[in-house]
Amino acid sequence: DTGVSQNPRHKITKRGQNVTFRCDPISEHNRLYWYRQTLGQGPEFLTYFQNEAQLEKSRLLSDRFSAERPKGSFSTLEIQRTEQGDSAMYLCASSLSTGRDIQYFGAGTRLSVL
Amino acid sequence: AQSVSQHNHHVILSEAASLELGCNYSYGGTVNLFWYVQYPGQHLQLLLKYFSGDPLVKGIKGFEAEFIKSKFSFNLRKPSVQWSDTAEYFCAAALQFGAGTQVVVTP
């Protein structure tokens, strides 16, 4: 499977714990995006990278959230001191920057904070 | 603030009926527009896209969408739905997504 891969698929954690998710994009894609999706809502943009540079961050990305893409390939999204309101599906997408980018989405990581 | 609005949250229709889902966006200038579909248990997939040119775009599985610049709209249509079209449909403008429309097609 050469699509966007996200791990883990599910994560259950206790409030206050830190969690980290990983996204492996389609290999030739230089852009990588993180979204959050809650029940009944569409994906909400969090941040995106072009190669290793983080180019845009949403105001939804509080200081407890940090994302990295150290070598311009895979990316990690870390949430520190998780809160119940962080429970959501975290989606990753990748694209090739052409000015007419088409994003390809992974299956997501579902986070449940107890 | 930039936003995308989808008119219906839930739509129920019978097989062979026609489907139209409304989408309005609030953006100035040029914007890339998309419709994505999420089938039960599957990840988001691109249905169709508009970048420029012919405002009537055709996508996969018989879907089409019309871009009307003056109305800031990008409505999705399918003349005759099938049971397999049961899914959630999301309109997107650049990095902003609408809340989605859950479509249920009954046999």
XYZ file of all heavy atoms in Angstrom, chain A residues 3-59:
482
model
N -0.231 4.440 -0.070
C -0.981 5.613 0.324
C -0.419 6.234 1.577
O 0.671 5.887 2.045
N -1.163 7.185 2.134
C -0.761 7.842 3.375
C -1.037 6.886 4.541
O -2.142 6.363 4.658
C -1.540 9.157 3.563
C -1.168 9.805 4.886
C -1.278 10.099 2.393
N -0.038 6.704 5.359
C -0.143 5.761 6.466
C -0.084 6.493 7.799
O 0.777 7.360 7.994
C 1.008 4.755 6.383
O 1.008 3.890 7.481
N -1.001 6.162 8.699
C -1.012 6.799 10.018
C -0.970 5.727 11.095
O -1.650 4.709 11.009
C -2.263 7.659 10.209
C -2.265 8.897 9.321
C -3.407 9.829 9.663
O -4.334 10.007 8.864
N -3.343 10.429 10.843
N -0.194 6.013 12.129
C -0.082 5.096 13.258
C -0.022 5.871 14.565
O 0.557 6.963 14.608
C 1.202 4.258 13.115
C 1.068 3.228 12.029
O 0.348 2.245 12.175
N 1.726 3.473 10.925
N -0.636 5.322 15.619
C -1.505 4.150 15.596
C -2.863 4.473 15.005
O -3.164 5.636 14.741
C -1.614 3.802 17.081
C -1.531 5.131 17.765
C -0.556 5.952 16.957
N -3.713 3.501 14.815
C -5.073 3.758 14.335
C -5.962 4.230 15.474
O -6.866 5.040 15.254
C -5.655 2.499 13.713
C -4.968 2.088 12.412
C -5.214 3.112 11.286
N -6.626 3.389 11.093
C -7.431 2.636 10.360
N -6.973 1.571 9.744
N -8.707 2.963 10.223
N -5.680 3.707 16.649
C -6.463 4.099 17.820
C -5.517 4.338 18.983
O -4.515 3.626 19.131
C -7.464 3.010 18.212
C -8.387 2.613 17.121
N -9.570 3.271 16.872
C -8.301 1.638 16.187
C -10.168 2.701 15.836
N -9.426 1.716 15.403
N -5.853 5.326 19.795
C -5.058 5.604 20.978
C -6.003 6.001 22.106
O -6.812 6.919 21.951
C -4.063 6.737 20.714
C -3.204 7.117 21.914
C -2.198 6.050 22.240
C -1.303 6.471 23.385
N -0.330 5.393 23.734
N -5.907 5.267 23.211
C -6.677 5.619 24.402
C -5.680 6.056 25.454
O -4.688 5.366 25.700
C -7.509 4.421 24.900
C -8.477 3.962 23.813
C -8.266 4.793 26.176
C -9.230 2.684 24.157
N -5.921 7.196 26.063
C -4.998 7.714 27.046
C -5.759 8.357 28.193
O -6.952 8.661 28.063
C -4.026 8.727 26.406
O -2.974 9.023 27.315
C -4.741 10.025 26.052
N -5.074 8.567 29.267
C -5.686 9.252 30.400
C -5.379 10.743 30.309
O -4.317 11.151 29.827
C -5.159 8.679 31.701
C -5.605 7.250 31.959
C -5.103 6.760 33.316
C -5.573 5.349 33.577
N -5.077 4.837 34.883
N -6.295 11.517 30.809
C -6.113 12.966 30.825
C -4.786 13.326 31.489
O -4.424 12.755 32.524
C -7.270 13.591 31.604
C -7.381 15.096 31.503
C -8.633 15.569 32.199
N -8.758 15.016 33.547
C -9.832 15.143 34.306
N -10.898 15.764 33.844
N -9.874 14.631 35.500
N -4.059 14.228 30.859
C -2.782 14.667 31.403
C -1.580 13.972 30.799
O -0.446 14.446 30.973
N -1.813 12.873 30.107
C -0.707 12.151 29.475
C -0.343 12.799 28.138
O -1.143 13.529 27.540
C -1.091 10.690 29.246
C -1.370 9.925 30.524
C -0.133 9.774 31.376
O 0.892 9.272 30.923
N -0.210 10.218 32.625
N 0.860 12.506 27.680
C 1.293 12.970 26.363
C 1.091 11.854 25.346
O 1.252 10.668 25.679
C 2.784 13.346 26.388
C 3.077 14.474 27.355
O 2.175 15.184 27.798
N 4.346 14.635 27.694
N 0.734 12.227 24.128
C 0.582 11.243 23.064
C 1.289 11.757 21.811
O 1.418 12.958 21.601
C -0.899 10.961 22.727
C -1.597 10.276 23.896
C -1.636 12.217 22.309
N 1.735 10.818 20.994
C 2.390 11.166 19.732
C 1.838 10.298 18.622
O 1.717 9.073 18.787
C 3.915 10.963 19.829
O 4.424 11.812 20.858
C 4.587 11.334 18.507
N 1.520 10.916 17.517
C 1.024 10.206 16.338
C 2.033 10.370 15.211
O 2.713 11.387 15.116
C -0.318 10.791 15.866
C -1.341 10.964 16.941
C -2.140 12.096 16.977
C -1.513 10.010 17.934
C -3.084 12.278 17.959
C -2.456 10.186 18.924
C -3.241 11.323 18.945
N 2.031 9.383 14.335
C 2.957 9.425 13.211
C 2.182 9.382 11.908
O 1.165 8.703 11.790
C 3.923 8.254 13.273
C 4.854 8.166 12.070
C 5.865 7.067 12.207
N 6.581 6.862 10.942
C 7.908 6.802 10.854
N 8.662 6.917 11.928
N 8.481 6.607 9.679
N 2.708 10.080 10.904
C 2.150 10.059 9.561
C 3.263 9.847 8.556
O 4.263 10.581 8.554
C 1.430 11.367 9.253
S 0.881 11.508 7.534
N 3.077 8.866 7.685
C 3.993 8.646 6.570
C 3.265 9.014 5.288
O 2.287 8.357 4.916
C 4.455 7.187 6.526
C 5.430 6.870 7.640
O 4.975 6.477 8.740
O 6.636 7.053 7.416
N 3.717 10.045 4.608
C 3.007 10.499 3.403
C 3.333 9.620 2.206
O 4.194 8.734 2.279
C 3.573 11.903 3.204
C 4.982 11.792 3.704
C 4.912 10.854 4.881
N 2.672 9.882 1.116
C 3.035 9.270 -0.159
C 4.451 9.751 -0.487
O 4.760 10.938 -0.347
C 2.024 9.648 -1.252
C 0.671 9.005 -0.913
C 2.510 9.235 -2.637
C -0.478 9.445 -1.787
N 5.306 8.844 -0.914
C 6.743 9.101 -0.913
C 7.169 10.328 -1.728
O 8.066 11.054 -1.322
C 7.501 7.868 -1.406
O 7.059 7.522 -2.701
N 6.564 10.598 -2.839
C 7.028 11.729 -3.642
C 6.357 13.056 -3.268
O 6.675 14.104 -3.849
C 6.796 11.447 -5.133
C 5.341 11.291 -5.530
C 4.882 9.843 -5.517
O 5.454 9.037 -4.735
O 3.955 9.515 -6.273
N 5.453 13.025 -2.286
C 4.749 14.243 -1.892
C 5.597 15.088 -0.956
O 6.158 14.600 0.027
C 3.425 13.890 -1.209
C 2.385 13.420 -2.161
N 1.119 13.058 -1.752
C 2.401 13.256 -3.504
C 0.403 12.700 -2.813
N 1.173 12.808 -3.891
N 5.691 16.390 -1.250
C 6.496 17.263 -0.415
C 5.665 18.050 0.605
O 6.220 18.664 1.502
C 7.336 18.230 -1.281
C 6.477 19.094 -2.179
O 5.305 18.814 -2.407
N 7.067 20.154 -2.698
N 4.352 18.022 0.475
C 3.508 18.714 1.453
C 2.791 17.699 2.330
O 2.328 16.652 1.853
C 2.492 19.623 0.763
C 3.114 20.886 0.199
C 2.084 21.857 -0.297
N 2.729 23.121 -0.687
C 2.126 24.090 -1.341
N 0.842 23.971 -1.679
N 2.772 25.186 -1.655
N 2.667 18.068 3.594
C 2.013 17.184 4.557
C 1.139 18.042 5.466
O 1.574 19.094 5.936
C 3.065 16.420 5.366
C 2.563 15.329 6.313
C 3.609 14.213 6.446
C 2.185 15.853 7.671
N -0.073 17.573 5.702
C -1.080 18.344 6.429
C -1.602 17.528 7.607
O -1.743 16.313 7.522
C -2.280 18.651 5.526
C -1.947 19.246 4.186
C -1.480 18.450 3.145
C -2.129 20.600 3.939
C -1.193 18.982 1.901
C -1.851 21.144 2.692
C -1.378 20.328 1.679
O -1.095 20.869 0.444
N -1.943 18.242 8.668
C -2.636 17.632 9.802
C -3.984 18.330 9.982
O -4.078 19.571 9.925
C -1.828 17.775 11.090
C -0.648 16.869 11.193
C 0.660 17.173 10.957
C -0.669 15.486 11.599
N 1.459 16.073 11.169
C 0.670 15.030 11.571
C -1.671 14.593 11.979
C 1.022 13.727 11.920
C -1.323 13.303 12.320
C 0.007 12.881 12.284
N -5.007 17.484 10.224
C -6.345 17.968 10.494
C -6.879 17.257 11.731
O -6.436 16.172 12.080
C -7.303 17.641 9.346
C -7.061 18.370 8.051
C -6.126 17.894 7.128
C -7.785 19.513 7.724
C -5.918 18.551 5.927
C -7.586 20.180 6.514
C -6.647 19.689 5.629
O -6.454 20.348 4.427
N -7.879 17.860 12.334
C -8.614 17.225 13.425
C -10.084 17.173 13.017
O -10.616 18.143 12.456
C -8.462 18.029 14.715
C -9.163 17.430 15.900
C -8.937 18.263 17.140
N -9.604 19.558 17.067
C -9.454 20.510 17.965
N -8.642 20.329 18.994
N -10.101 21.649 17.843
N -10.710 16.031 13.301
C -12.129 15.890 12.971
C -12.887 15.345 14.166
O -12.541 14.293 14.701
C -12.317 14.956 11.768
C -13.751 14.884 11.275
C -13.894 14.030 10.034
O -13.037 13.213 9.720
N -14.979 14.216 9.300
N -13.901 16.069 14.580
C -14.773 15.603 15.650
C -16.102 15.182 15.053
O -16.443 15.524 13.910
C -14.977 16.687 16.711
O -15.419 17.889 16.066
C -13.683 16.969 17.453
N -16.869 14.463 15.855
C -18.122 13.883 15.375
C -19.057 14.961 14.847
O -19.295 15.969 15.505
C -18.790 13.111 16.523
C -19.835 12.069 16.111
C -19.198 10.989 15.253
C -20.463 11.469 17.359
N -19.553 14.750 13.647
C -20.513 15.689 13.076
C -19.895 16.913 12.437
O -20.611 17.820 12.011
N -18.578 16.936 12.386
C -17.890 18.087 11.797
C -16.969 17.637 10.670
O -16.584 16.468 10.602
C -17.054 18.807 12.860
C -17.869 19.393 13.997
C -18.834 20.454 13.520
O -18.489 21.286 12.679
N -20.041 20.438 14.039
N -16.613 18.574 9.831
C -15.626 18.283 8.825
C -14.225 18.417 9.386
O -14.040 18.893 10.512
N -13.239 17.991 8.637
C -11.854 18.150 9.100
C -11.523 19.619 9.337
O -11.896 20.481 8.540
C -11.030 17.581 7.939
C -11.959 16.642 7.240
C -13.313 17.269 7.369
N -10.825 19.886 10.449
C -10.373 21.247 10.767
C -8.860 21.287 10.598
O -8.134 20.494 11.204
C -10.729 21.596 12.206
C -12.213 21.642 12.490
C -12.488 21.841 13.965
O -12.174 20.922 14.752
O -13.006 22.899 14.344
N -8.410 22.228 9.802
C -6.987 22.352 9.509
C -6.208 22.700 10.768
O -6.591 23.589 11.534
C -6.787 23.436 8.449
C -5.359 23.826 8.231
C -4.489 22.976 7.559
C -4.880 25.026 8.713
C -3.166 23.334 7.372
C -3.570 25.398 8.524
C -2.710 24.545 7.841
N -5.091 22.011 10.977
C -4.210 22.302 12.106
C -2.905 22.949 11.641
O -2.508 24.005 12.113
C -3.891 21.032 12.888
C -5.056 20.362 13.613
C -4.590 19.076 14.290
C -5.666 21.312 14.633
N -2.227 22.279 10.705
C -0.931 22.769 10.270
C -0.520 22.062 8.995
O -1.076 21.020 8.651
C 0.137 22.558 11.358
O 1.359 23.214 10.986
C 0.420 21.080 11.584
N 0.461 22.656 8.274
C 1.020 21.920 7.155
C 2.489 22.250 6.957
O 2.983 23.295 7.390
C 0.204 22.126 5.873
C 0.616 23.233 4.949
C 1.516 22.998 3.898
C 0.060 24.503 5.068
C 1.863 24.005 3.020
C 0.406 25.515 4.190
C 1.303 25.263 3.162
O 1.641 26.264 2.289
N 3.166 21.304 6.347
C 4.595 21.391 6.065
C 4.827 21.340 4.557
O 4.116 20.640 3.839
C 5.347 20.195 6.674
C 5.348 20.166 8.160
C 4.256 19.646 8.866
C 6.423 20.649 8.881
C 4.259 19.615 10.246
C 6.438 20.610 10.268
C 5.351 20.095 10.947
N 5.816 22.075 4.140
C 6.375 21.860 2.814
C 7.813 21.432 3.047
O 8.618 22.197 3.592
C 6.319 23.108 1.945
C 6.920 22.854 0.567
C 6.369 23.758 -0.508
O 5.167 23.983 -0.584
N 7.260 24.297 -1.332
N 8.093 20.219 2.653
C 9.356 19.571 3.035
C 9.445 19.600 4.562
O 8.499 19.183 5.215
C 10.521 20.247 2.336
C 10.371 20.165 0.815
O 10.074 19.104 0.268
N 10.564 21.287 0.127
N 10.533 20.119 5.133
C 10.625 20.099 6.591
C 10.125 21.394 7.230
O 10.064 21.484 8.464
C 12.059 19.818 7.038
C 13.075 20.858 6.633
C 13.637 20.616 5.241
O 13.078 19.784 4.501
O 14.622 21.280 4.884
N 9.771 22.362 6.427
C 9.351 23.658 6.958
C 7.853 23.674 7.275
O 7.023 23.337 6.435
C 9.678 24.744 5.950
N 7.539 24.100 8.501
C 6.144 24.238 8.912
C 5.670 25.616 8.442
O 6.080 26.641 8.985
C 6.013 24.102 10.428
C 4.587 24.001 10.912
C 4.501 23.658 12.397
O 5.480 23.781 13.135
N 3.350 23.212 12.853
N 4.819 25.645 7.437
C 4.483 26.902 6.779
C 3.256 27.600 7.348
O 3.134 28.817 7.222
C 4.285 26.682 5.281
C 5.522 26.242 4.499
C 5.235 26.266 3.002
C 6.721 27.119 4.825
N 2.353 26.851 7.932
C 1.134 27.479 8.426
C 0.613 26.695 9.617
O 0.666 25.471 9.634
C 0.066 27.533 7.323
C -1.141 28.380 7.672
C -2.081 28.593 6.497
O -1.634 28.452 5.347
O -3.257 28.902 6.740
N 0.128 27.442 10.613
C -0.466 26.831 11.802
C -1.792 27.501 12.083
O -1.890 28.720 12.102
C 0.457 26.977 13.014
C 1.733 26.182 12.914
C 2.405 26.008 14.267
C 2.882 27.296 14.859
N 3.651 27.072 16.107
N -2.797 26.694 12.352
C -4.102 27.228 12.723
C -4.074 27.687 14.176
O -3.286 27.184 14.986
C -5.151 26.135 12.543
O -6.319 26.423 13.267
N -4.976 28.607 14.508
C -5.068 29.024 15.910
C -5.612 27.879 16.772
O -5.555 27.940 18.003
C -5.950 30.260 16.049
C -7.395 30.047 15.705
C -8.192 31.328 15.917
N -9.610 31.114 15.744
C -10.224 31.100 14.566
N -9.533 31.291 13.470
N -11.523 30.900 14.484
